[in-house]
Amino acid sequence: MIVVTGATGNIGRPLTRALAAAGEQVTAVSRHPAAVPDGVRHLVADLADPAGLRPALAGAKSLFLLLSGDLHALGAHPAEIIGEAVDSGVRRIVLLSTLGVVTRPFGATRIAMRELEDTVRESGLEWAVLRPGGFASNALWWAESVRERRVVAAPFGDVGVPVVDPADIAAVAAACLLEDRHTGGAYELTGPEVITPRGQTEAVAAALGSPVAFHELTRDEARAAMARSMPAELADDTLDILGNPSPAELRVSPDVERVLGRAPRPFADWAARNVTAFR
Ligand SMILES: NC(=O)c1ccc[n+]([C@@H]2O[C@H](COP(=O)([O-])OP(=O)(O)OC[C@H]3O[C@@H](n4cnc5c(N)ncnc54)[C@H](OP(=O)(O)O)[C@@H]3O)[C@@H](O)[C@H]2O)c1
């Protein structure tokens, strides 16, 4: 049995589907009850309470570990989750980390994530680490204003990064959970091309078949909006990347193709599959 945390999110949903389709027994974990694919068991648990994961981890061979929101904040103790996995007899762990541990290793949230990677590596379990850059699904921040006013409001309209489709992250995660050859792998995951917020807006408009305007926010306006849904430091870090990506953050990584044997999906593909969120 494979335990998937973050199971109802952008990565967790396609990952749960892929593992179930591969014939695996899957336990999907999130804090709120949710519909899951046929044959998948859903358990409500909060990763902030690692001991509460024991019922999910009992009998599990592998764990996909995705931290969210407050679990990135100072004072959280996600390393205890790995201890629970070891004590429960889990043999393999795939950790969702971030490209920032490589490209900007000095912020507090990234130092904490790097330490968690070290804990995973030193756990004695088989492990793989996934380090994605910015997600295509961050465009969902714009869904309401596109639905209501056909406008995207975002900072740094002409500064792009190679955003990655969460479905590709899920596909790589599934490969790492199911195939032995990824043990000890640390994969940097990006999309196939640099795309700006203005370019993403055009792709959403094309998927909708109707024009969408682009309104450029100042950094302060964007920070105020983001700080409502993430720790302020994470908002600052994200804006630093979006406004001034380093060469390492602009690089298109070969790792999705290396693992999956096919190119990563472009943003336009994500927009077409998620167009109902913008209608
Ligand atoms: N967005 C980016 O550009 C980017 C870039 C690099 C890395 N990342 C990382 O990617 C992750 C987000 O992935 P995603 O977009 O797939 O997530 P998402 O769509 O935001 O979904 C989060 C999932 O985690 C669950 N969850 C949240 N808090 C939880 C808790 N305390 N205990 C148990 N389950 C919890 C949620 O369900 P419930 O709410 O029901 O619990 C949901 O299933 C984060 O770790 C982020 O740091 C993001």
Side-chain angles (χ1 to χ4, degrees):
M1 184 265 287
I2 299 176
V3 176
V4 175
T5 62
T8 58
N10 297 305
I11 299 170
R13 277 187 190 282
L15 175 57
T16 305
R17 258 198 316 273
L19 295 173
E24 296 290 330
Q25 285 189 307
V26 182
T27 296
V29 173
S30 61
R31 289 167 304 177
H32 303 96
V36 289
D38 282 350
V40 170
R41 172 176 79 142
H42 183 273
L43 281 188
V44 167
D46 190 334
L47 297 181
D49 170 25
L53 286 172
R54 283 175 200 162
L57 292 170
K61 62 176 179 179
S62 304
L63 168 67
F64 175 71
L65 180 56
L66 180 150
L67 305 178
S68 203
D70 288 349
L71 291 158
H72 290 297
L74 298 179
H77 300 290
E80 291 172 18
I81 298 168
I82 295 155
E84 290 292 343
V86 171
D87 292 348
S88 300
V90 167
R91 296 192 294 283
R92 178 173 298 181
I93 183 163
V94 175
L95 174 68
L96 194 275
S97 176
T98 170
L99 188 59
V101 300
V102 180
T103 59
R104 299 187 188 229
F106 301 116
T109 56
R110 288 178 301 271
I111 290 170
M113 184 50 87
R114 175 65 89 164
E115 287 171 359
L116 193 63
E117 287 192 6
D118 291 343
T119 305
V120 165
R121 263 190 291 272
E122 291 156 10
S123 64
L125 305 182
E126 298 170 357
W127 60 268
V129 166
L130 310 186
R131 296 174 177 152
F135 291 7
S137 50
N138 293 348
L140 291 171
W141 290 338
W142 309 330
E144 188 179 326
S145 69
V146 171
R147 279 196 309 270
E148 292 178 358
R149 299 186 300 283
R150 287 289 186 258
V151 66
V152 164
F156 315 121
D158 297 310
V159 184
V161 289
V163 296
V164 59
D165 190 325
D168 282 345
I169 304 172
V172 171
C176 292
L177 288 160
L178 298 175
E179 301 169 13
D180 294 339
R181 68 189 174 104
H182 302 296
T183 300
Y187 295 122
E188 297 181 11
L189 306 178
T190 72
E193 67 202 353
V194 170
I195 183 165
T196 64
R198 236 181 261 280
Q200 289 176 287
T201 304
E202 284 163 16
V204 169
L208 281 169
S210 84
V212 177
F214 183 82
H215 168 71
E216 182 148 315
L217 295 178
T218 65
R219 183 182 168 114
D220 284 348
E221 287 167 340
R223 184 181 190 276
M226 290 164 77
R228 285 197 285 273
S229 61
M230 62 174 77
E233 195 208 347
L234 199 55
D236 284 328
D237 287 350
T238 304
L239 287 165
D240 288 345
I241 295 169
L242 294 180
N244 191 19
S246 68
E249 287 155 349
L250 291 167
R251 172 178 168 267
V252 170
S253 167
D255 288 356
V256 168
E257 182 144 17
R258 218 175 255 163
V259 175
L260 300 179
R262 61 155 175 85
R265 296 181 174 103
F267 179 82
D269 196 282
W270 178 89
R273 279 184 285 114
N274 291 277
V275 68
T276 46
F278 298 93
R279 274 206 207 290

